[in-house]
Amino acid sequence: MSAIADTTARPTVSRRREVSHTSARSVLMTVLGEFVLPRDRPVWTSTLVDVLAMFGIEEKSARQALARTAAEGWLVSQRHGRRVRWSLTTPGRRLLSEGAERIYGFGRDHTPWDGTWLMLLVSVPETKRDLRHSLRTRLTWAGFGSPTPGVWICPDPSRHDEANSIVRELGLDAEAMSFVASYGRIGDEDAMVARAWDLTALEERYEDFIDEFAALAPASGEAVLHAQTRLVHEWRRFPFLDPRLPGRLLPDGWSGAKAAELFHRRHVEWRPVAQRHWDQLVGAEEAA
């Protein structure tokens, strides 16, 4: 495979694809972020194929994932005889660094909330279903919820610029209006939140995460690397699924807080052994 030129131009990234947690490419991105990003050294195809095999990913699928990731500009290949090794491109390092900041920082911030809401009013006709879907998808990813058709709310006014960019890019800025205000005396704020976000479904996902990793106790280096990769892979979904509501808007005993504590504790516990086993795998391939 020929090398792909490393450029500083940022390739287009699909957030929908990033949320997916089942594909070979998605697992590959987790591995690259957790083990390749911290090191300034290339890695052989065989190492990546072997690690992906731990997750039931066949060699053909692993190689296809590498080729697609390279075609998107995140990786560059170098051929050495019949063997190929891979390095992150400058945009690839930037992408994974941003992802790492989001993943490892998620669940740590507890900024006090002053009760201020950002409200966005934007309506799309039923006949423009694709546009409606794009608007809903992008605003949901940005942390907005919709308690009633045409109304979007977010307890973080700092996302005003992001909302503005979304409606402009979709050509809806002429119809959109925004307000920054506190909740009034009519109606119930908690009921509004319940209509805007499906917190029950989100809490079930957090409970599944806790059930999977709370009692997990990997023993060998390979088992720890596998567990660490799974841990990060599953956790990286939540920054896109969780609107990060202030504590006073969440149910009592919110599972998201328990899951965040578990993730950060397990990541610190498993990281040294997982990283050491990765180095052993890379070293074995280098010596081959």
Side-chain angles (χ1 to χ4, degrees):
M1 184 178 297
S2 61
I4 296 175
D6 188 349
T7 66
T8 57
R10 184 181 181 83
T12 301
V13 61
S14 167
R15 294 181 106 187
R16 176 182 295 276
R17 184 181 298 162
E18 191 169 357
V19 172
S20 171
H21 60 286
T22 56
S23 70
R25 182 193 176 280
S26 182
V27 177
L28 172 63
M29 294 299 284
T30 300
V31 171
L32 293 175
E34 186 69 12
F35 300 106
V36 178
L37 178 64
R39 298 162 174 82
D40 188 19
R41 59 189 296 189
V43 57
W44 294 107
T45 300
S46 53
T47 302
L48 294 169
V49 168
D50 289 346
V51 170
L52 293 183
M54 297 180 188
F55 301 89
I57 297 170
E58 297 180 354
E59 180 177 348
K60 180 181 178 181
S61 297
R63 291 181 180 275
Q64 289 174 342
L66 282 166
R68 286 196 300 269
T69 304
E72 292 174 352
W74 310 124
L75 285 174
V76 60
S77 64
Q78 300 170 317
R79 182 171 290 280
H80 294 262
R82 299 181 62 182
R83 304 175 72 195
V84 174
R85 61 183 185 177
W86 302 85
S87 300
L88 292 169
T89 62
T90 298
R93 296 191 69 84
R94 186 185 310 126
L95 171 75
L96 292 176
S97 295
E98 292 173 358
E101 181 178 350
R102 179 175 61 247
I103 293 168
Y104 304 135
F106 185 72
R108 291 187 182 278
D109 51 338
H110 302 286
T111 305
W113 185 53
D114 63 1
T116 302
W117 288 94
L118 169 60
M119 177 186 293
L120 177 67
L121 305 182
V122 55
S123 181
V124 180
E126 279 280 0
T127 54
K128 298 182 178 179
R129 292 184 178 179
D130 289 346
L131 183 58
R132 285 168 63 93
H133 177 73
S134 295
L135 179 67
R136 173 171 292 277
T137 300
R138 295 189 62 179
L139 286 177
T140 298
W141 277 329
F144 284 78
S146 180
T148 190
V151 178
W152 292 87
I153 57 173
C154 177
D156 184 0
S158 70
R159 297 182 187 174
H160 217 147
D161 289 342
E162 186 173 2
N164 187 39
S165 295
I166 291 171
V167 295
R168 282 183 176 275
E169 290 171 11
L170 295 177
L172 296 169
D173 47 312
E175 292 83 9
M177 296 176 285
S178 64
F179 301 87
V180 176
S182 58
Y183 195 85
R185 289 180 292 175
I186 300 174
D188 182 79
E189 191 172 39
D190 290 337
M192 178 187 71
V193 170
R195 290 196 300 269
W197 291 281
D198 188 354
L199 296 180
T200 299
L202 178 59
E203 187 155 40
E204 289 174 356
R205 287 178 177 262
Y206 276 128
E207 291 288 350
D208 289 342
F209 180 88
I210 294 170
D211 289 343
E212 182 171 0
F213 295 103
L216 193 60
S220 67
E222 179 177 320
V224 174
L225 185 147
H226 183 268
Q228 180 82 330
T229 304
R230 281 175 51 204
L231 179 81
V232 175
H233 193 62
E234 293 302 316
W235 184 252
R236 70 180 241 193
R237 295 183 289 165
F238 289 109
F240 296 102
L241 299 172
D242 191 332
R244 287 153 283 185
L245 299 179
R248 81 183 212 198
L249 298 176
L250 294 170
D252 293 336
W254 176 241
S255 294
K258 302 174 188 176
E261 189 278 330
L262 174 63
F263 168 76
H264 293 294
R265 175 162 47 85
R266 284 285 188 253
H267 191 264
V268 170
E269 290 174 0
W270 292 340
R271 189 177 191 279
V273 176
Q275 296 290 331
R276 186 160 57 248
H277 189 71
W278 173 268
D279 287 334
Q280 291 172 356
L281 294 175
V282 172
E285 287 297 331
E286 291 287 353

